Amino acid sequence: MNPLYKELQPSDAYCVRLPYPFSDFDRQILTGLYQPLVGHEAMAVLFTLWDEADRDGGAESNHYHLLNMLGMPVGRLFEARLSLEGIGLLKTYRKAEGDSRSFLYELQPPLDPETFFHDPILSMFLYGKIGAPAYKRLMQRFLTSPVPAGYEEVSRSFMDVYKPVTARASEPDDPNTYEKNARPAKLAFDGHDFDFSLLYEGLSAHLVPRKAFTPAAKDMIARLAFLYALSPLEMQQVVLLAIDQDAHLTDERLKRAAADYYKLSVSKSAPRVEKIPSGGQAPQQAAGPAKTKEDELADYLEAIPPVEMLRQLNNGREPMQIDVRLAQKLVLEHGLPTGVVNVLLQYVLLRNDGKLTNNYVERIASHWMAKKVGTAREALELARTEHDKYMNWKQEGGKPSAGRKGGGKTESVPDWFYKKDDKPEALPESQEANPEIEARRLRLIQKFGMAEGGAE
């Protein structure tokens, strides 16, 4: 699986397409039936995209502004996108043009309540999330009550009320004239790679005629096998329980037979549906060495937006706008990945007395772009190996700070910067440190779990 930075970057452009006009009832379905399944963050992403489509008509923007609007890092946005895609509420298209990428997000309408509750996967997913009492209340709220007893339908059909003006149409309809803007018929499902040939082998054609396996029946069998984690051999028993006297396999009989078989053979507890974790990250090894402090720092720098990192380093206060604009410029104009920008900002803050100097930052950024640095880990390593060069650049850009001895290593730096055995020199006692700068530097050191001298 691709690392996150290869899947999505804040500098990537996007636009939103709304092929189907959503209604207030759609909003009620989304909040009542879908939000318990995908979570509030995914629903916030959906509603934000919906608002942009209505307000801006699909105008192009970039993910950096979307992340600031939602107040979440790019990793959580990507996870929310996967949740929406998996549940059938979003289709994502990607276009690459050289080094830049753009995405098209097409919002999909929710299933109508009857289809939702009829689907065994979605209904059981919701049941497992909210429990029986809340599930029953939602069914009562969204499903139409049956017509009371004693009433007989006397509605006329279309042909009873209307007739054509001419015997034939003047021109045939162009099938491409109108775009299909209908609700999806059911939850998209690829069949779960279910082995129907193995299912057929154990079933006598006399007991279960092959004509009973209609496309609808096969689709329901595959969904139930996925939901209950049943093999083709186990589904043979379900089919035998579900077949009626007319050799038909209906959805309701299949669902009831699968539930009965599961309760008798597997567990009396209802099955649960869970999201596969770490959609955008490389899968971790089940058994392996624990993460080092540098690994944890690299993961942190990959996930957090630069503005949020600056805010955290500023003890929760809003960072200076000049620093924010510099971070945005590195991401949007220069196209540097978020993790690389975070390493760069952290490095300069530590080596430049807690200040971000545009010329100094951009000179290092130009060097990293030439080196094609793409991850926080690569940036950390380059900052370590090229430190002497960068310190010379700092001296060239201005006068040395008062009280410092040349360009030597005279201040506390993160664990990732020096090897564990190396220790920076202490500041002269006579130096008068700026309290604000020193406080900011100490907050930065504490944030990343670092101690003076690089000790853990």
Side-chain angles (χ1 to χ4, degrees), residues 255-295:
K255 288 194 291 185
R256 187 163 57 249
D260 291 344
Y261 179 84
Y262 181 83
K263 291 176 184 176
L264 292 172
S265 305
V266 182
S267 173
K268 294 187 181 299
S269 300
R272 298 178 63 86
V273 179
E274 296 180 351
K275 182 184 174 185
I276 300 174
S278 302
Q281 303 289 347
Q284 298 181 358
Q285 298 296 329
K291 281 189 175 182
T292 64
K293 186 175 293 185
E294 182 171 338
D295 292 333

Side-chain angles (χ1 to χ4, degrees), residues 30 105 136 145 169 178 183 247 283 329 331 360 396-397 404 426:
L30 291 169
Y105 295 136
K136 290 180 180 179
S145 302
Y178 301 102
R183 291 180 183 273
K329 183 178 182 181
V331 173
Y360 188 35
E396 293 171 6
R404 295 194 180 272

Side-chain angles (χ1 to χ4, degrees), residues 272-383:
R272 298 178 63 86
V273 179
E274 296 180 351
K275 182 184 174 185
I276 300 174
S278 302
Q281 303 289 347
Q284 298 181 358
Q285 298 296 329
K291 281 189 175 182
T292 64
K293 186 175 293 185
E294 182 171 338
D295 292 333
E296 295 176 354
L297 175 60
D299 292 342
Y300 168 82
L301 294 172
E302 287 284 4
I304 191 171
V307 175
E308 179 61 25
M309 189 194 72
L310 292 173
R311 186 178 295 116
Q312 291 185 11
L313 295 180
N314 205 26
N315 204 24
R317 297 192 299 270
E318 289 300 315
M320 298 293 291
Q321 282 301 308
I322 188 171
D323 294 345
V324 173
R325 286 194 294 270
L326 177 59
Q328 292 175 338
K329 183 178 182 181
L330 294 171
V331 173
L332 299 179
E333 296 185 19
H334 297 305
L336 285 173
T338 299
V340 176
V341 172
N342 285 330
V343 175
L344 175 55
L345 296 179
Q346 183 192 2
Y347 176 84
V348 173
L349 284 170
L350 284 167
R351 304 310 301 164
N352 198 37
D353 297 331
K355 296 176 292 185
L356 291 176
T357 308
N358 282 28
N359 292 340
Y360 188 35
V361 170
E362 291 186 347
R363 187 169 185 182
I364 298 177
S366 176
H367 183 240
W368 288 6
M369 290 169 63
K371 292 283 189 178
K372 300 187 182 302
V373 178
T375 67
R377 197 175 307 279
E378 293 173 359
L380 290 170
E381 179 62 27
L382 193 60

Side-chain angles (χ1 to χ4, degrees), residues 24-44:
D24 183 66
F25 186 58
D26 289 320
R27 180 190 58 77
Q28 296 179 40
I29 295 174
L30 291 169
T31 55
L33 303 183
Y34 282 87
Q35 182 166 297
L37 308 185
V38 300
H40 68 280
E41 285 195 341
M43 203 52 57

